[in-house]
Amino acid sequence: TETIAAYQAADLILINGADYAKWTTKVSLPRSRLVDSSRAFRDAYIRAAGTITHSHGPGGEHDHGGLAFTTWLDLSQATQQAEAIAQALIRKRPNARAQIECHLDSLSAGLLALDERMAEIVRTDPERPLLASHPVYQYFARRYGLNLRSVMWEPEELPNEGQWAELERILKDHPARWMLWEGEPAQAIAKRLRALGIDSLVLDPCGNRPAEGDLLTVMTDSATNLDRIFGHAGGAR
């Protein structure tokens, strides 16, 4: 109740859109102060195939049905979201326009440079089969042309034998040698994947403020990690 009251009293409420924060549809928030940062490209939302429900340990069940919500992993879309946020801030603080626009220019330049770098990396071998531990990379895969198949694994939870069997079925027609993870997988998982000829690599979706750095530093690390697959640093098929 206290958290919702704080939102209701805020000068500005920024949301990601694409159903990222589904709770916002269940409470009363002042629409005049609510800004959906991805509204400009809502026609480009990706609808997840089917409804997949699973649990994160004691955190309870959640599903990956409906809309894919990690919109910012397409860095061209992240740039549009930054622009929407900047305009909302300028409307609230017009005296800060110059400062806000200066920061926006810097952020946009960084995002678009990384956007091109990601595309260049993947263009070297766009058919290379890859795996993802979780269905959160849909916009990333679409933007940069990744040949990606997802499973539903958690980095800290050892998959059951049924999940390993499903992975082996996927590998029959999708012989991936790398799996992308949201966080570092447990050693036991990484070891068993290596026995199947699959290396693990973290590509942090940056769904929250990182402990160090910011979105640009996290995405720069992601580009470096992606280059390990497609470039010269361990990128052999």
Side-chain angles (χ1 to χ4, degrees), residues 69-209:
F69 51 76
T70 51
T71 54
W72 62 90
L73 291 183
D74 173 340
L75 298 183
S76 68
Q77 291 182 170
T79 303
Q80 293 181 65
Q81 291 186 259
E83 291 172 353
I85 292 168
Q87 292 306 312
L89 291 171
I90 288 170
R91 288 194 295 272
K92 288 293 181 181
R93 300 287 186 270
N95 292 339
R97 172 185 288 273
Q99 183 182 21
I100 293 168
E101 289 182 342
C102 179
H103 288 306
L104 174 63
D105 288 345
S106 177
L107 174 59
S108 297
L111 288 171
L112 292 175
L114 280 170
D115 178 63
E116 180 56 31
R117 181 182 172 191
M118 297 280 197
E120 287 181 356
I121 290 170
V122 179
R123 275 198 293 266
T124 62
D125 189 3
E127 298 304 315
R128 181 184 295 269
L130 299 173
L131 294 166
S133 66
H134 223 62
V136 295
Y137 300 104
Q138 298 96 328
Y139 295 100
F140 189 80
R142 182 180 69 183
R143 175 65 177 174
Y144 306 110
L146 294 174
N147 181 16
L148 187 67
R149 295 272 296 272
S150 297
V151 292
M152 187 70 72
W153 293 11
E154 300 297 336
E156 69 282 356
E157 296 178 15
L158 189 66
N160 60 42
E161 291 306 314
Q163 290 173 300
W164 286 107
E166 175 61 21
L167 176 64
E168 293 192 31
R169 285 192 290 271
I170 292 172
L171 291 173
K172 288 179 180 179
D173 62 5
H174 190 76
R177 292 293 173 261
W178 292 88
M179 180 180 282
L180 305 180
W181 290 84
E182 298 170 87
E184 198 70 41
Q187 290 186 2
I189 301 174
K191 182 179 179 180
R192 187 160 173 179
L193 284 171
R194 282 195 298 271
L196 294 173
I198 301 169
D199 285 313
S200 299
L201 188 122
V202 174
L203 202 155
D204 186 350
C206 200
N208 206 334
R209 184 173 184 172

